[in-house]
Amino acid sequence: MVTAYVMVKAATGEVDRLKSEMSEIDGGIESVSVVAGDVDYIVKVNVGGPSDVKSVATSIHELRGIEDTQTYIAME
C-alpha cells in the first residue's frame, strides 16, 4: 500500500462543494480535511501503488473549482 497526501487549493466560494465532490472520488481517498493556511484541503489517499496515486490526484485536479494541487507520497 502507498499512502499519499494531496494538498488542494480551491477557488473562493468553492470549499464546501468541493469537499463533498472529492470525498466521492473512487479509488482510495481515506479522508478530506479542510485546513487553514496556504491550501484549503489535505486529502489522505491509500492506494496500491504510485500509478494509483497519480490517478486519484489527477481526478482531484480536474474538478471544477480546483486551482492547484501538490501531491506528497509518504516514505514510511
Side-chain angles (χ1 to χ4, degrees), residues 16-36:
D16 293 329
R17 177 185 64 80
L18 286 168
K19 180 177 182 181
S20 175
E21 287 188 21
M22 284 187 283
S23 296
E24 294 173 4
I25 293 173
D26 290 333
I29 292 180
E30 185 174 303
S31 64
V32 178
S33 300
V34 177
V35 297

Side-chain angles (χ1 to χ4, degrees), residues 1-70:
M1 289 295 280
V2 174
T3 300
Y5 297 90
V6 183
M7 309 301 147
V8 181
K9 182 143 180 79
T12 302
E14 299 287 344
V15 173
D16 293 329
R17 177 185 64 80
L18 286 168
K19 180 177 182 181
S20 175
E21 287 188 21
M22 284 187 283
S23 296
E24 294 173 4
I25 293 173
D26 290 333
I29 292 180
E30 185 174 303
S31 64
V32 178
S33 300
V34 177
V35 297
D38 294 339
V39 298
D40 298 300
Y41 309 96
I42 297 175
V43 180
K44 184 176 182 181
V45 179
N46 280 310
V47 292
S51 64
D52 299 320
V53 172
K54 181 180 178 184
S55 177
V56 172
T58 299
S59 294
I60 292 170
H61 192 80
E62 291 176 344
L63 291 173
R64 180 181 56 84
I66 299 294
E67 290 186 353
D68 191 32
T69 61
Q70 295 179 341

